[in-house]
Amino acid sequence: MSEFSVQTEVEVLELLVDESPCHVMDITNAVDGHPITIDQACAHLHSEGCIVPRGRGLYEITDAGEQRLETQQES
């Protein structure tokens, strides 16, 4: 995974810690990313169990997501 992808995922998780659940378009606007990039980041984070979809484009961070964010911030 590229450094850009990791950074994007960290930004998504940081946003969801403060504003969860959050719509994917709001995430896109907040992290200033391309909608496809954010959608891919969210799909990957979901597959890793870090976020869960809540319907209608809303995502919420999980305990695993919060732990991953803490780990990323420590390194």
Side-chain angles (χ1 to χ4, degrees):
M1 185 179 321
S2 72
E3 182 64 31
F4 175 77
S5 299
V6 171
Q7 183 59 36
T8 301
E9 290 181 3
V10 168
E11 289 176 16
V12 170
L13 291 173
E14 287 173 339
L15 177 68
L16 290 175
V17 164
D18 295 331
E19 300 179 34
S20 196
C22 191
H23 193 273
V24 69
M25 287 310 298
D26 295 329
I27 296 169
T28 300
N29 293 332
V31 302
D32 195 29
H34 190 278
I36 293 173
T37 304
I38 301 305
D39 191 51
Q40 291 172 339
C42 288
H44 184 254
L45 288 168
H46 177 248
S47 73
E48 296 282 313
C50 295
I51 63 175
V52 291
R54 293 295 180 206
R56 298 185 182 172
L58 293 171
Y59 285 98
E60 186 170 26
I61 194 166
T62 64
D63 290 341
E66 290 181 13
Q67 289 174 356
R68 177 174 169 188
L69 185 58
E70 288 176 19
T71 301
Q72 290 292 138
Q73 290 173 337
E74 290 173 359
S75 48

